[in-house]
């Protein structure tokens, strides 16, 4: 079985899709796939499907959805499938679980690559960190669960995954800046700060990439526009780190040079207290 949630939902067995077309069974399959090998309690599944407004037939209806998923699973598994389907989509006391290895689900492969990339990053092994983080991000085929109408539980999962994706992108850019790829990063960072107009970490990376590419004035303008936005929208000044980065650019601090930067740590923390 191969399940993908980092983009449109996909679940295949022997090359055949087991993804239902109906909304609620899709939610159940997704929630079980995010936690392979772990029992998902019935109340949690019900909350995802109906929120706090449970119908009287909630338990019976949930059991029907599970049966529908097992039938699709059994058909894809082929002869002898129905018995096998009950073992894969198993009933346990108080809930259900999908008995598949975690590596069958792309999100778990992604998280493993991110963990290895982070470890390499902290060890100062930039080449390895960049390779692992790029491989992790390549697993994304679009926004998480883009074609699943999520309830309250999956909504939290989507937020968690999207935040993880953004952090991983930021960390990969940190590595690329340490590897001297500042010019190549300008277009990507320009798009990112447009999509995340109050994200100080991305703005600090854009400033450094521009500065190291000989575009000091543009780097300072990125800071000016962010500061104006933060003051007008939130009534706050940029963080001390960003203010010190701005001052360093004004004074042409040698520490901003790519060869002088630390072997570990983020671009945002170049001028942390």
């Amino acid at each position: 079985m191969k399940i993908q949630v980092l983009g449109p939902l996909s679940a295949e067995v022997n090359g055949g899709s087991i993804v239902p077309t109906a909304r609620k069974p899709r939610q159940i399959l997704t929630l079980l796939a995010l936690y392979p090998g772990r029992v998902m309690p019935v109340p949690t599944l019900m909350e995802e499907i109906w929120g706090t407004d449970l119908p009287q037939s909630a338990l019976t209806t949930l059991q029907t959805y599970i049966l529908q998923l097992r039938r699709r699973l059994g058909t894809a598994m082929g002869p002898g499938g129905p018995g096998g389907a009950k073992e894969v989509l198993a009933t346990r006391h108080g809930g259900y679980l999908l008995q598949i290895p975690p590596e069958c689900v792309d999100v778990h492969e992604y998280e493993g690559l991110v963990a290895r990339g982070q470890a390499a990053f902290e060890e100062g092994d930039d080449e390895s960190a960049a390779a692992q983080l790029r491989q992790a991000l390549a697993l994304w085929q679009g926004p998480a669960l883009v074609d699943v109408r999520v309830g309250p539980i999956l909504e939290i999962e989507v937020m968690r995954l999207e935040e993880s994706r953004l952090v991983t992108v930021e960390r990969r850019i940190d590595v690329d800046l340490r590897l001297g790829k500042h010019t190549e990063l300008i277009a990507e960072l320009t798009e990112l700060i447009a999509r995340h107009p109050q994200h100080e970490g991305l703005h600090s990376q854009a400033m450094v990439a521009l500065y190291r590419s000989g575009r000091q004035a543009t780097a300072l303008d990125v800071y000016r526009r962010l500061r104006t936005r933060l003051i007008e929208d939130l009534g706050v000044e940029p963080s001390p780190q960003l203010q010190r980065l701005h001052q360093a650019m004004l004074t042409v601090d040698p520490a901003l040079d790519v060869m002088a930067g630390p072997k570990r740590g983020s671009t945002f923390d170049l001028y942390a207290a």
Side-chain angles (χ1 to χ4, degrees):
M1 183 181 293
K2 182 66 177 176
I3 301 179
Q4 296 173 306
V5 299
L6 302 178
L9 176 63
S10 171
E12 293 185 351
V13 176
N14 297 329
S17 175
I18 63 168
V19 177
T21 55
R23 170 192 171 184
K24 292 181 173 63
R26 287 167 73 90
Q27 290 172 271
I28 293 170
L29 175 61
T30 301
L31 200 49
L32 293 171
L34 286 170
Y35 294 94
R38 289 173 53 182
V39 175
M40 186 58 58
V42 165
T44 302
L45 291 166
M46 288 182 174
E47 182 181 355
E48 168 58 27
I49 296 171
W50 292 290
T52 57
D53 188 21
L54 298 181
Q56 287 188 338
S57 61
L59 181 57
T60 302
T61 304
L62 176 61
Q63 291 169 340
T64 300
Y65 293 149
I66 294 292
L67 180 60
Q68 291 173 2
L69 287 171
R70 281 187 180 139
R71 283 175 179 165
R72 296 185 71 91
L73 184 57
T75 299
M77 291 173 68
K86 283 188 176 181
E87 294 175 4
V88 175
L89 178 46
T91 303
R92 292 291 184 269
H93 179 69
Y96 300 94
L97 79 155
L98 207 54
Q99 294 205 103
I100 58 174
E103 55 267 25
C104 291
V105 187
D106 62 351
V107 68
H108 296 283
E109 182 182 358
Y110 160 77
E111 289 173 344
L113 286 164
V114 169
R116 292 192 289 276
Q118 176 67 24
F121 177 88
E122 292 173 355
E123 292 168 3
D125 185 353
D126 292 340
E127 294 287 355
S128 177
Q132 300 278 7
L133 296 175
R134 286 185 190 282
Q135 191 177 347
L137 291 166
L139 293 173
W140 287 76
Q141 303 298 313
L145 301 174
V146 65
D147 59 347
V148 177
R149 290 181 61 189
V150 300
I153 308 300
L154 284 179
E155 183 178 22
I156 294 170
E157 293 293 337
V158 168
M159 290 173 60
R160 177 182 68 84
L161 289 170
E162 290 295 341
E163 180 62 24
S164 171
R165 183 187 192 183
L166 185 57
V167 169
T168 302
V169 168
E170 192 177 359
R171 182 50 42 86
R172 194 220 82 227
I173 292 172
D174 279 332
V175 176
D176 282 343
L177 283 170
R178 292 209 303 242
L179 291 170
K181 298 180 179 180
H182 32 271
T183 303
E184 297 97 310
L185 289 168
I186 290 175
E188 179 183 7
L189 281 164
T190 299
E191 178 186 355
L192 284 167
I193 63 175
R195 289 168 50 195
H196 303 280
Q198 296 176 351
H199 195 296
E200 292 195 352
L202 293 172
H203 279 75
S204 71
Q205 292 176 324
M207 291 168 64
V208 169
L210 288 162
Y211 180 91
R212 289 178 179 170
S213 300
R215 298 172 61 181
Q216 181 187 24
T218 309
L220 294 172
D221 189 55
V222 168
Y223 176 85
R224 180 190 60 78
R225 286 185 282 114
L226 173 63
R227 180 175 182 270
T228 299
R229 191 176 298 114
L230 291 175
I231 291 173
E232 291 180 350
D233 294 350
L234 303 176
V236 299
E237 290 279 352
S239 65
Q241 290 103 308
L242 209 58
Q243 292 185 45
R244 284 191 285 268
L245 175 61
H246 175 249
Q247 186 61 35
M249 289 183 175
L250 290 173
T251 58
V252 195
D253 188 338
L256 283 169
D257 185 79
V258 64
M259 299 307 294
K263 293 300 180 185
R264 302 176 183 82
S266 70
T267 305
F268 184 59
D269 289 331
L270 278 174
Y271 289 88

